[in-house]
Each structure stands twice: as C-alpha cells, then as structure tokens.
Amino acid sequence: MKLRRVLALGAVAAISALTLAACGNKSGASSHKGVLNLSTTAEMPGLDTSKVTDNSSLTALSNTQEGIYRIGKDSKPENALATKTTESKDGLHWTFNLRKNTKWSNGDKVTAKDFVYSWRRTNDPKTASQYAYLFDGVKNADAIQNKKADVKSLGVKAVGDYKLEVTLEKPIPYFKLLLGFPIFFPQDQKVVDKYGSKYGMSANKQVYNGPFKVEGWTGTNTKWKWVKNNSYWDKSAVKTNTINFQVVKENNTALNLYNSGKIDRTQLQGSQVANYKNNKDYTYFQGSTSAYLELNEEKVPAFKNQKIRQALSLALDRTQLVNNVLEDGSKAATGLIPTKLTKNPKTGADFANDSKVADTTDHNLAKAKQLLKEGEKEAGISSLNFTLLADDTSGTKQNSEFLQSQFEKLPGVKVSLQNVPFKNRLTKSSNGDFDAVITLWGADYNDPYTYSSLFTSDNSQNNGKWKNSEYDTLIKNSANKDANDKQKRYDDLVNAEKILTKDVGIVPLYWGTASGSGPMLQKSYVKGVIYNSAGVNFNYKNVEVK
Amino acid sequence: MAKYLLKRLFYLILTLFLIATITFFMMKLLPGTPLSNESKLSHSQIQMIYHTYGLDKPVWQQYLIYLAGMVRGNFGLSFQFDNQPVSYLLATRMPASFQLGIQAMIVGVLLGIIVGGIAAIRRNTWVDGTMTIISILMISIPSFVLAILLQYYIGLKAGAFPVAGWGNFSYTILPTIALAGSPFATTARFIRTEMVDVMSSDYIELAKAKGLTSTGVVYHHALRNSLIPLITLIGPLTVNLMTGSLVVENIFAVPGIGEQFVKSITTNDYPTIMGITMMYSVLLVVVLLITDIVYGIVDPRIRLQGGQS
C-alpha cells in the first residue's frame, strides 16, 4: 500500500498546488504612477565604470552616475557636473569648472580628483578596459595603454577640488559627446579601493551621483531597479521614483508581458512589426547600426576594379531587402553613415542626405550588367566567383541568401555562402580570410568620424583593404587641419563619404536597429524619454509616468 | 562492496579529468576572443588585454593553471559577467533550474506512471489507445512549442498564471508543465511496455491463481517490478532537466543556468564553459553511480555481480 499512498499524495499535492497558485494570481496590471517597468534583453554584467561594454550596464551607469555632461535631446551635451567650459583656440586645452557640493550616494564629495583617478584607472593597462580606446587623442592615452608611458602622465589634472584641466594631443571635435559617455565619468577612489576586485559587481558595491541609484542587482540576477537618488544635485527634475528592470530574452515573451501590462515598452521584431504597425503605441527609435559589404581586394583581385564593385552595388535592390527580407523597420542605405547621426552645422540638413551620391545605390540591373561587362574586360576575366561570409543567425542567413540571389542575376557571377558564428566571422574578417563579408558597425558617439575613420588605408578595421589617398587626406584633415572649423570639418567628412560611396569602398546595405532601438511599443503614459541613436541610447532623467 | 565502490570512484575521477581536458582543448580551438567589445578592438589592443588575463600564455600552461585552480574548487572568473567568479554565477543561477527540473520530474514521472499503468492494465482498449496518443503527442511536441502555447493561452489569455518572470511558486507552474511533457511521455511509454511484459510473466499468473484481487496484483507485483528499470531512466533524465533548458528558460524569463551554457560558448567565455561543463559532468557521473548502487539494492538479481567481495 506504500506505493499507492505515495502516488496518491503526490497527485493530490500537485493538483492542489496548481489550483492554489491559480487562485493567488488573478491580480491584473498594477498602478503605474511614478513607476516605470522596463525589460532588457540581456543581464547587466557589471557596473565598473572603467570596464563596462554592454548596453544594459552603460544605460544604467549613464542614468545613475554623471560626468561633465549629460547627453540630452538631439545628442546635445548639456552641463551636468560642469558649470563652465573653456576651450583653447587650438582645441587642445580644456578647462571645466565643476559644480560644487555634489555628492556620491555614500556621502563623499564629487571632486575633480575623482575624474583624474577614474581616467587614469581606465587607461591603466592593468585595468584592461575594452573602451579605453575612446581616450585616443587625450594626451598620452595611447602611450599609457601600450605601456610606453606612466599612468600619471595622462593629460588630465585637478586644480583644487572643482577645476579640471584636460590636455589633448590632437583636437577631438566630438570630445563633448565623449564626456557624456560613462567611460569618462568620475569614480570614487575610496569605493574602488574598499571593494577591490568586487567593485561594481553588485548594486551596493558601487556609488551613484546621478538621477537614480541601482538597487537589487546581485551581479548575476535578472531583476533589479533604479530608485530616485535623493542626494542628486538636480533631484527636483527627477519625476519618477522607481524604474524596474526585468531580463526578457524572448521577443514574444516581452510582447506578451507588454500586453498583460507588466512592462511599459517592448521591442518588435519580424512579423510583430507588421502586426502592430498601426497600433497607437507603435513608435520607432532609429538605430545607428550600419550594415555593409566589405570586398577583399587582396584576396579577390577582381574587386580591385571599380566598375565591378559598382556593378555589385547597383545589382542590389535594397528597398526589397529592407521591406521583404529584414522587415524590422531598417532603412535602405545610401551610404555608410546612417541618417539622424549628425547635421550640417550651417543648414541643419542631415549628413546622410548631404553625402548622398545619385546612381550609386539605387537598384539598376541594366547598368550593373553593363558595368560588370566593362569591368571584367578591364580586369581580363570572364566570370566572377566569390564566397559571401556572414553570421549564422537566421536573419543574417536570409540576408546572405537574398544578396546571393541578387548578385547572381548578373551574368557569370557565382556566389557561395558561408555562415559562421559571430566570433568566427570577426576572426576571419580581421585575418583577411574572406572574399566578401557582411559587417555591422554601431556608432560609439553621434559623429560621422566613428564610421569614416574605419576606411582609411591603415585602419585595422578596414578588412577589405580598399585604398583611396584622397579619402585618407580628407579624413586626416578633418581630424587635424580642419578639426576646429566645424563647417570645414563637416565638409571634409561629407566629401570623404561621397568618395567612399562613388568608389564603392564598401557596398552599403542597410541602416538597421540594434538591441535597444528600432520599432517598439511604448505605453502612452510614458513621457519624457530622451532617445539618441548612438552611444547610450536612453536618458531617463526626466521620464514621467502619468 | 567497498572495493567495488573504490574502483567506481577511481573511474569517476578519471572520467572527469578526461572531460576537463578534452573540453579545455576543444574550447581553445574556438575562433574569436572572450572580449565583449572585440569587434571594435585592434589586434594589438586585444593582445594587451590578453596579457592582463594571462591569455597570452601557451595553451598548455593555461591548462595546468586551470586544472590547479579547479582541483581547489576555483573555476576562475567569467568574462560575460565582468570578472564575476564562475562559482558565484553557478550558485546564483542553478537554484531556479534545479527547482524547475525537480518539479518537472515529479509531475512528469508521477503522471507518467499513472497513465502508463492504466494503459497497461486496460491494454488494447480505447483507454490504452488514448493514453498512447497523448504520450506520443507529448513526446513529439517540443517543449518550447508547449511553452509558447501555455504562455499565450494560459498566461496571457486566461490570466491564470504569470506570463513570465520569477517570483513565488505560481511563476514556476507553466515552465514546469512545459518541461514535464518529455519525462511524462517517456515514463508513460516505458511503464506501459514494462508492465505489459511483467503482467504476462509466470509469477503474476501465480499471484492471480492464489486469488489476489486484481488491484493487489497490479500494485504489489506488476507495478513494483516495472518501476525498477525506471530507475536507470530517471537518473540521467533528472540531471538533464536540472541543468536547465535554454529555450524554456528563455521563454519564461527564468533566471536559470540553461541559457548561460549556450551563451558562454557563443561568447567564448572560457571559464564559464568549463564551469558549467564540469558541473554537469559531476552531476551526471555521480547520479549514474548512485543509480547503479540503488539498482543493486532494489533488485536482488543485480546484486550478485557487485557483491562478490
């Protein structure tokens, strides 16, 4: 009888547990005032200001800590800890007067010394920061990272508690944008020393001087929150008391949670976009990821021929690619640099429009065929075979197949596909082990230079080894000679982009979305979210839930 | 028995050592780096960072360092979770997977035994047919399809249970059901076959001839004897479930370990790959050992070989 009893008990226990739980959980959506509920697609791996690399952590730091500037609407740097900025004529010397009496959440004062300490720590090779390269241009940063100079020689100095002096080796026209990026935020040395290797590994092993404080994050868990920081200098501007985060990796799950009222925003993917396009909550956050094809001129000599490259670019119907294959709100690219990244200082026109070159990216199969014929004649070949390398995610596979079918409409062109895991693709790309590769690049900051600098002859990210001396000169001028002349620098970058497009240094594909951007549903009671397409996307300082 | 156990223990350690070695070297053959910002870093920048982590040392040196650490229970620091100890990651992410796995096993196996048993007793009737169809359905529907259906209809539409997330017991119900499908179907089919077999054996005939009631025969003899071989099945199945399911955990946003295994491989997070592999291996070999021992205890027919000494 023993077995029978066990079985019966088990069954009763299971059934009663199920019913009990069912009764206990009929409560509907909670009240929303002052509380924002968000989901994120990945865990937050760390809050060490020098070491963060991922979206969740960067978003957390930029909303819970504060540096010299905070990036506001339309990527405008606004004074945060700075009260006054003085820039020398040559753009090499910067002086920042800092706000007095701002405090870390542990009560320590935030001073200029915290910046000096933080920047040195990030550049110290021992820290192994993966974002230290953003300091390129700050005096001795490169040398320090390569162990050729002492950390103390970094071009940053505290004059008293509230004045910070920064020396650059070369002008950095987007320096103010960088100063709004968490890697450039101050750090409290006392806290770093106190926690040692545990610093930033859980919510209470970090201090905050921004609008919010992180709570409930243990380092590996999937739920945490930001609560209003009452020691923040501008706390009256913070209208939301709590922002809850929950990791939801599955897109459909997030949508179900949104529809059940548990989260206030969700990213849409694939067929969800079509289904919800007319929903009143539908909104689109333009991303700043550029997808392009790199043609390896060292491995496939035919790619050295400009006409062949042009033929490949013209053979593509990008509209069909974004509308029928990607279906996620991505835009057909007309060049390398996406729209909404930056504007003409004089006219306010979008960079992508200013740099557009007619008849370079519009679908024109007849012209492509003709160019290919001419190109093949010039190169002395009669057919073109190459392998297209790309990631092995299902979306990218579809893209490759689409590109293959489009290229093979050209007579004598045969394309084979090679889809490999992301890390594998990166290795192959940087080793030059590919014929053509689909590359995606996300902007670090809202300035064309984050893209343009990639395709100079000596840049290690120029995997196709396309070379154009005119392009090199323009990029160099933009960073040196014209660096302090906004308009001239802008024109240099526009002209460089035109050359890249005309000469097909890369084949532009689409301007897409990354995690944290793209088509979304957002509840209408959420107001005041500031979104920027590059760097840290979301600024929640002024968010209101009404 | 002691000699047998010692011998088994020796093989167990040897197995683990081999797994650690093979995994380590295969893992080092993976292309790419464990750095999360790899696509933006130049070769020399990567080398600088590698130096800091000791990843520029020859692979055999890294292997020895790793082995020395592992013996002392130090699995190293994770890369995806900025330098968080792997043991901490395991300790914080295992409980959810464990809980779901064990709940799914209990629900699945209990229901499986009941359904399989009934099917065997009423074999070749419509009851048997229906039960077979149900178990075939449950084994053919992948857990993630079941998970999506449960989430949409029971979670969202009916509002009976939370759609996703992790909190009180009610959050575990839908994922438990989704995961229980497979052990349920496996057990049901297994028990049915076993019982049909047992029911036609001589001692059942004898029991019937002795005049025992049919329920008595089923419980005392048929079911009991059919359950013994189930032990071999349950061990590995439990380990499998406890170590988490990537898809079901993702669908229900469960903070488990299942997804971390896959993610650690795609991100080249070497210490985490090793940590999870070793934990899984230890669980599996230990459970297999226990299964063998328990088997010997419950089934006198097996005891002979193990009990020579």
Side-chain angles (χ1 to χ4, degrees):
Chain A
M1 272 311 119
K2 227 169 156 192
L3 181 72
R4 181 190 201 173
R5 211 176 285 159
V6 171
L7 282 179
L9 262 177
V12 169
I15 291 165
S16 52
L18 284 167
T19 14
L20 268 176
C23 298
N25 210 283
K26 278 254 163 80
S27 65
S30 49
S31 113
H32 286 284
K33 259 201 168 147
V35 180
L36 180 63
N37 293 302
L38 296 175
S39 71
T40 133
T41 53
E43 285 98 342
M44 192 158 68
L47 285 176
D48 181 334
T49 312
S50 293
K51 290 186 183 172
V52 287
T53 50
D54 69 291
N55 208 357
S56 290
S57 309
L58 285 166
T59 308
L61 280 183
S62 77
N63 285 283
T64 58
Q65 295 193 334
E66 202 160 69
I68 292 167
Y69 301 116
R70 173 167 294 280
I71 307 299
K73 214 172 163 231
D74 294 325
S75 296
K76 249 189 128 132
E78 292 162 358
N79 275 347
L81 289 184
T83 50
K84 195 180 141 215
T85 304
T86 335
E87 185 190 350
S88 70
K89 265 225 171 93
D90 58 6
L92 296 179
H93 299 277
W94 294 69
T95 308
F96 305 97
N97 289 48
L98 301 181
R99 200 176 292 281
K100 284 171 191 164
N101 299 322
T102 61
K103 285 200 170 96
W104 292 106
S105 49
N106 62 353
D108 289 353
K109 273 192 207 163
V110 183
T111 67
K113 292 186 185 83
D114 294 339
F115 281 93
V116 177
Y117 171 73
S118 173
W119 292 18
R120 283 182 183 167
R121 181 171 182 266
T122 304
N123 281 278
D124 190 338
K126 274 190 229 128
T127 309
S129 163
Q130 294 187 46
Y131 257 125
Y133 69 88
L134 285 178
F135 279 84
D136 175 39
V138 175
K139 196 180 151 203
N140 284 334
D142 264 5
I144 294 166
Q145 287 167 35
N146 289 299
K147 294 189 177 164
K148 287 181 187 125
D150 187 73
V151 172
K152 293 206 170 88
S153 64
L154 189 70
V156 59
K157 207 172 98 188
V159 182
D161 272 355
Y162 298 108
K163 199 187 240 181
L164 188 71
E165 287 181 359
V166 179
T167 313
L168 307 182
E169 285 166 348
K170 57 182 184 200
I172 308 175
Y174 46 87
F175 192 48
K176 284 189 168 185
L177 288 170
L178 289 183
L179 293 175
F181 195 71
I183 287 289
F184 289 81
F185 286 1
Q187 293 178 65
D188 187 350
Q189 182 172 2
K190 264 192 0 208
V191 174
V192 183
D193 290 344
K194 183 172 165 195
Y195 295 117
S197 64
K198 297 269 172 228
Y199 167 64
M201 305 275 266
S202 60
N204 53 11
K205 294 194 170 61
Q206 174 59 288
V207 282
Y208 311 96
N209 69 331
F212 299 96
K213 295 189 289 187
V214 182
E215 274 183 10
W217 174 69
T218 63
T220 54
N221 60 342
T222 56
K223 253 188 200 171
W224 61 88
K225 59 187 174 183
W226 302 347
V227 296
K228 186 173 172 176
N229 180 3
N230 284 321
S231 57
Y232 181 50
W233 65 271
D234 195 18
K235 66 176 177 190
S236 60
V238 182
K239 300 277 186 337
T240 297
N241 290 322
T242 310
I243 303 185
N244 290 310
F245 285 88
Q246 183 180 359
V247 177
V248 180
K249 304 195 180 197
E250 204 56 46
N251 215 250
N252 270 315
T253 303
L255 184 61
N256 287 340
L257 285 170
Y258 182 87
N259 283 330
S260 68
K262 297 283 179 203
I263 54 174
D264 297 325
R265 185 170 70 214
T266 182
Q267 189 166 4
L268 299 172
Q269 267 177 6
S271 59
Q272 293 173 353
V273 183
N275 292 343
Y276 283 89
K277 203 146 195 178
N278 299 318
N279 191 294
K280 64 176 174 39
D281 292 350
Y282 180 88
T283 154
Y284 186 79
F285 295 101
Q286 162 97 49
S288 65
T289 302
S290 183
Y292 50 87
L293 198 63
E294 293 187 273
L295 304 170
N296 193 344
E297 300 191 9
E298 291 196 336
K299 199 154 170 244
V300 184
F303 289 153
K304 282 201 163 88
N305 185 286
Q306 190 200 40
K307 283 181 179 156
I308 291 180
R309 296 198 303 267
Q310 284 171 333
L312 290 178
S313 184
L314 289 173
L316 288 181
D317 187 346
R318 293 171 178 80
T319 319
Q320 214 184 323
L321 174 67
V322 294
N323 290 342
N324 302 340
V325 184
L326 294 162
E327 292 185 295
D328 62 354
S330 296
K331 305 257 185 315
T334 57
L336 169 69
I337 296 165
T339 48
K340 296 208 171 154
L341 191 72
T342 195
K343 285 177 183 157
N344 189 323
K346 209 186 290 166
T347 64
D350 196 290
F351 184 93
N353 285 333
D354 274 351
S355 59
K356 208 165 170 173
V357 185
D359 300 324
T360 52
T361 51
D362 306 312
H363 181 50
N364 188 340
L365 193 59
K367 199 176 166 199
K369 281 181 181 167
Q370 198 203 328
L371 280 167
L372 182 73
K373 218 163 137 192
E374 291 171 21
E376 286 186 334
K377 213 169 160 191
E378 285 174 19
I381 53 170
S382 57
S383 66
L384 179 63
N385 293 330
F386 65 92
T387 305
L388 177 60
L389 175 68
D391 290 346
D392 64 352
T393 57
S394 64
T396 316
K397 269 189 193 157
Q398 285 177 7
N399 297 350
S400 322
E401 280 160 17
F402 177 77
L403 294 187
Q404 180 189 37
S405 73
Q406 296 263 294
F407 289 145
E408 290 192 342
K409 283 187 182 152
L410 294 169
V413 174
K414 270 262 157 317
V415 181
S416 33
L417 300 181
Q418 186 182 23
N419 293 93
V420 300
F422 171 67
K423 292 270 178 182
N424 204 344
R425 192 255 294 168
L426 290 181
T427 310
K428 279 174 170 290
S429 290
S430 58
N431 290 341
D433 182 17
F434 68 96
D435 296 343
V437 61
I438 299 179
T439 304
L440 280 99
W441 189 265
D444 286 332
Y445 42 86
N446 276 80
D447 187 277
Y449 195 77
T450 185
Y451 289 104
S452 307
S453 56
L454 299 176
F455 296 102
T456 52
S457 314
D458 56 356
N459 192 296
S460 64
Q461 305 285 358
N462 181 358
N463 299 312
K465 305 292 171 210
W466 171 78
K467 284 185 179 66
N468 185 306
S469 57
E470 214 182 323
Y471 184 87
D472 290 353
T473 314
L474 284 166
I475 299 300
K476 214 169 132 195
N477 286 348
S478 83
N480 296 300
K481 191 160 74 75
D482 303 333
N484 292 316
D485 185 330
K486 272 190 183 164
Q487 191 62 41
K488 257 196 180 152
R489 174 177 184 269
Y490 181 85
D491 293 340
D492 286 344
L493 292 172
V494 165
N495 290 330
E497 171 83 351
K498 281 183 176 168
I499 290 171
L500 183 72
T501 318
K502 234 187 287 181
D503 197 41
V504 200
I506 49 122
V507 180
L509 296 176
Y510 61 89
W511 296 326
T513 57
S515 97
S517 66
M520 298 199 194
L521 295 177
Q522 180 173 286
K523 299 280 185 194
S524 52
Y525 49 72
V526 180
K527 311 261 187 229
V529 176
I530 294 176
Y531 173 84
N532 288 305
S533 66
V536 176
N537 298 124
F538 288 101
N539 174 350
Y540 294 103
K541 180 178 169 180
N542 305 113
V543 71
E544 271 186 85
V545 183
K546 285 184 178 169
Chain B
M1 191 67 181
K3 201 170 148 197
Y4 169 75
L5 270 181
L6 271 177
K7 203 168 122 192
R8 283 296 301 263
L9 216 60
F10 168 74
Y11 280 119
L12 190 148
I13 291 165
L14 185 70
T15 312
L16 290 177
F17 169 75
L18 284 176
I19 293 172
T21 308
I22 295 171
T23 315
F24 189 89
F25 287 100
M26 282 192 3
M27 175 182 85
K28 285 289 170 183
L29 290 174
L30 285 172
T33 75
L35 307 180
S36 44
N37 211 17
E38 183 187 350
S39 64
K40 302 251 169 126
L41 297 171
S42 70
H43 188 69
S44 60
Q45 283 164 332
I46 290 174
Q47 285 312 311
M48 289 303 296
I49 297 175
Y50 261 36
H51 183 72
T52 312
Y53 288 116
L55 287 170
D56 57 343
K57 293 197 174 90
V59 174
W60 64 268
Q61 276 187 22
Q62 294 182 38
Y63 170 69
L64 291 181
I65 293 171
Y66 186 79
L67 221 53
M70 201 177 66
V71 171
R72 279 172 284 150
N74 175 10
F75 287 104
L77 305 175
S78 163
F79 280 96
Q80 334 161 33
F81 289 90
D82 295 349
N83 297 339
Q84 204 76 251
V86 171
S87 46
Y88 179 73
L89 175 69
L90 293 179
T92 50
R93 301 300 286 265
M94 285 300 297
S97 295
F98 259 67
Q99 189 188 344
L100 283 187
I102 288 169
Q103 281 179 205
M105 273 312 286
I106 294 174
V107 173
V109 170
L110 280 184
L111 285 179
I113 292 173
I114 296 170
V115 167
I118 295 173
I121 297 162
R122 303 255 181 279
R123 76 165 172 280
N124 299 333
T125 64
W126 65 269
V127 183
D128 186 19
T130 320
M131 302 277 181
T132 309
I133 289 171
I134 293 175
S135 55
I136 287 178
L137 262 180
M138 293 310 278
I139 212 159
S140 359
I141 299 175
S143 57
F144 65 89
V145 174
L146 195 58
I148 290 170
L149 294 174
L150 288 169
Q151 179 176 70
Y152 188 76
Y153 289 104
I154 315 283
L156 183 65
K157 289 288 155 196
F161 298 110
V163 169
W166 196 246
N168 56 25
F169 183 70
S170 64
Y171 284 86
T172 67
I173 291 174
L174 294 184
T176 299
I177 299 174
L179 286 172
S182 161
F184 160 75
T186 316
T187 315
R189 282 157 45 106
F190 189 84
I191 286 290
R192 185 192 172 273
T193 321
E194 276 296 317
M195 262 182 71
V196 166
D197 210 32
V198 172
M199 299 256 288
S200 58
S201 57
D202 293 345
Y203 61 85
I204 297 290
E205 294 297 324
L206 178 71
K208 280 185 188 159
K210 280 201 306 193
L212 281 178
T213 58
S214 65
T215 34
V217 172
V218 169
Y219 282 113
H220 279 289
H221 300 285
L223 190 55
R224 246 193 116 155
N225 281 308
S226 316
L227 286 181
I228 295 172
L230 190 65
I231 295 170
T232 43
L233 203 72
I234 287 179
L237 210 62
T238 312
V239 174
N240 206 359
L241 276 174
M242 282 192 327
T243 43
S245 149
L246 158 75
V247 191
V248 171
E249 284 181 5
N250 269 357
I251 290 173
F252 290 106
V254 174
I257 198 78
E259 195 242 353
Q260 293 307 315
F261 198 11
V262 179
K263 204 176 147 207
S264 65
I265 294 173
T266 55
T267 58
N268 285 7
D269 186 355
Y270 305 133
T272 310
I273 300 177
M274 288 304 292
I276 301 180
T277 311
M278 289 321 290
M279 183 209 60
Y280 186 92
S281 312
V282 170
L283 269 177
L284 192 64
V285 290
V286 168
V287 163
L288 285 181
L289 179 62
I290 294 173
T291 309
D292 284 355
I293 296 170
V294 170
Y295 211 88
I297 295 169
V298 244
D299 194 343
R301 286 169 296 185
I302 309 288
R303 214 172 292 162
L304 283 173
Q305 290 108 25
Q308 291 158 338
S309 49

